Amino acid sequence: MRSRAALGLALGLVIFLTGCGEPGKTPPRAGGPPATTSPTPTPSPAPTPQPVRTTPPKLRPLPKALPAGLHRRSGDQGVALTFDDGPDPRWTPQILDQLRAAHVTATFCLIGTQARRHPELVKRIVREGHQLCNHSWRHDLDLGRRSDAEIMADLKRTNRVIRAAVPDAEITWFRQPGGRWTAEEVAVARKLGMRALHWNVDPQDWNHPTSKTIIKRVKAAARPGSIVLMHDGGGDRSQTMVACRKVIPDLKRRYGIIELH
């Protein structure tokens, strides 16, 4: 009897252990699904910024002929000298020295950015009796082809910086860079009290010819009442400086050098 009881007890223990699960495995928790491992979410890539496309401003066509209203003569029998693209700290003082030595005056067509950098030269130009001309803010060759509002803003900005140097400066003239005039630009300048200043003698000193070539071209083209275009800024003007030592006294002797009017 005792052996049978012991055998039954051992058999029950084997059944109990077998029902608890396989060796080496953790039995599932009661009352819930088996534990699972959630995958780590992959972050979405940041969107690539798209370039902003801007439409270039529409430019009005350049007229085939120069518009009416341009000032192309000095206003008398004398010749008027005009200097563009300054003021320049290297070249403008040299031209001013030559004009003072010859006891004549000229008209200086000032770029706004240059006037802002060199207000002391603007002051000297006015102090020595020369006339002022607005030559646009950045020498914009296409300024006349832009909208009236853009032209107005450009000219006003340039006048403001000139008058920041000389508050009571009289800015009588406006000259379009490159002579690429439009009728709309002439009208805007007139609204601001400025006359459109052109020329009829251009030795093309902006293209760096020799001083002899500059002298020859001026002498051949000058007539009573001429407006001579030369440059005291915008690049190397050493040949212009040399040429003016002969051009200024020669024009004064032959025609007289006068203010624009």
Side-chain angles (χ1 to χ4, degrees):
M1 289 292 293
R2 290 179 180 177
S3 60
R4 290 181 181 179
L7 181 60
L9 181 59
L11 183 60
L13 181 61
V14 170
I15 294 171
F16 174 79
L17 292 174
T18 303
C20 288
E22 297 180 13
K25 292 188 177 182
T26 304
R29 294 181 182 180
T36 59
T37 303
S38 299
T40 303
T42 303
S44 302
T48 302
Q50 298 297 317
V52 179
R53 296 184 178 181
T54 57
T55 303
K58 187 176 181 180
L59 300 177
R60 59 170 59 98
L62 195 67
K64 295 181 180 180
L66 290 173
L70 300 184
H71 195 80
R72 301 196 230 186
R73 291 185 58 82
S74 68
D76 206 330
Q77 294 299 301
V79 170
L81 297 176
T82 64
F83 294 92
D84 284 15
D85 298 354
D88 183 278
R90 183 174 182 184
W91 310 116
T92 303
Q94 294 185 44
I95 286 294
L96 288 170
D97 289 346
Q98 291 193 45
L99 294 170
R100 183 170 56 188
H103 304 287
V104 297
T105 59
T107 300
F108 286 83
C109 301
L110 307 181
I111 295 176
T113 54
Q114 288 295 104
R116 182 175 62 179
R117 292 189 189 104
H118 308 291
E120 73 286 351
L121 290 177
V122 179
K123 293 176 183 178
R124 181 180 171 186
I125 289 168
V126 174
R127 186 170 63 247
E128 296 187 3
H130 304 286
Q131 293 181 311
L132 296 179
C133 172
N134 181 321
H135 198 36
S136 85
W137 182 250
R138 294 185 185 275
H139 201 269
D140 183 359
L141 293 173
D142 286 323
L143 180 60
R145 302 177 63 197
R146 303 189 189 281
S147 70
D148 289 7
E150 289 174 293
I151 297 170
M152 179 74 75
D154 187 290
L155 271 56
K156 282 184 174 180
R157 186 181 186 187
T158 304
N159 281 351
R160 279 197 304 269
V161 78
I162 293 172
R163 290 191 173 118
V166 183
D168 58 348
E170 184 177 353
I171 308 170
T172 309
W173 309 98
F174 168 72
R175 175 175 278 170
Q176 161 61 29
R180 301 178 70 180
W181 295 96
T182 61
E184 293 84 357
E185 185 175 40
V186 173
V188 170
R190 188 182 298 118
K191 289 179 182 177
L192 294 175
M194 296 184 292
R195 300 167 69 184
L197 177 59
H198 201 59
W199 59 85
N200 52 27
V201 177
D202 179 9
Q204 299 183 0
D205 64 330
W206 53 267
N207 200 28
H208 307 105
T210 66
S211 60
K212 289 182 179 180
T213 299
I214 296 172
I215 295 167
K216 181 180 178 181
R217 289 172 177 173
V218 172
K219 192 170 184 177
R223 299 287 186 275
S226 289
I227 297 175
V228 181
L229 165 65
M230 288 188 286
H231 293 78
D232 66 322
D236 181 355
R237 302 304 176 206
S238 56
Q239 293 302 301
T240 300
M241 300 301 112
V242 173
C244 281
R245 294 184 193 130
K246 291 188 177 294
V247 166
I248 292 174
D250 180 66
L251 291 177
K252 181 180 179 181
R253 178 182 57 82
R254 289 198 291 156
Y255 306 107
I257 295 176
I258 64 171
E259 281 191 350
L260 289 164
H261 60 274

